[in-house]
Amino acid sequence: QVQLVESGGGLVQPGGSLRLSCTASGINFGFYAMGWYRQAPGKQREMVATITTSGDMTGYADSVEGRFIISRDNAKNTLWLQMNSLQPEDTAVYFCNAYWTDDLNYWGQGTEVTVSS
């Protein structure tokens, strides 16, 4: 059984920070590229940040570039997303994704982030 479990979501005020975590089990974590995606109410799911298997390369959506940092520790089977300078537009359910092939592609259940005063 494969499980990706996100944690760290919650309510934060504009300008605040939050760190999301994703722990994986049932897969060889180091074989998978990882990513964070989010879906706001009434909108399509979008890529937020991605990271290569070794963690040597990262990519970000334009909307979060310079504010968010994605990282991973393969020894701990863990993925993080450090979110800084949060704004209301960042409000969404955030999902962890592990990708190796189309047949080996997994999602977590999501963790809700609300940015509001």
Side-chain angles (χ1 to χ4, degrees), residues 18-99:
L18 216 54
R19 189 175 78 157
L20 306 182
S21 298
C22 171
T23 57
S25 60
I27 62 171
N28 287 315
F29 187 76
F31 290 178
Y32 289 76
M34 301 295 296
W36 287 100
Y37 294 74
R38 68 187 182 188
Q39 187 166 23
K43 302 186 72 175
Q44 295 187 75
R45 185 174 297 186
E46 65 173 342
M47 185 274 289
V48 176
T50 57
I51 189 166
T52 55
T53 56
S54 66
D56 61 338
M57 296 282 287
T58 59
Y60 299 91
D62 289 345
S63 58
V64 308
E65 181 75 49
R67 297 190 296 122
F68 291 8
I69 300 171
I70 188 171
S71 59
R72 67 190 294 165
D73 187 336
N74 290 348
K76 297 181 178 180
N77 291 172
T78 301
L79 175 77
W80 294 277
L81 183 68
Q82 178 66 45
M83 305 187 295
N84 300 316
S85 301
L86 284 162
Q87 299 300 314
E89 308 85 73
D90 298 314
T91 296
V93 177
Y94 284 71
F95 298 90
C96 173
N97 172 252
Y99 183 86

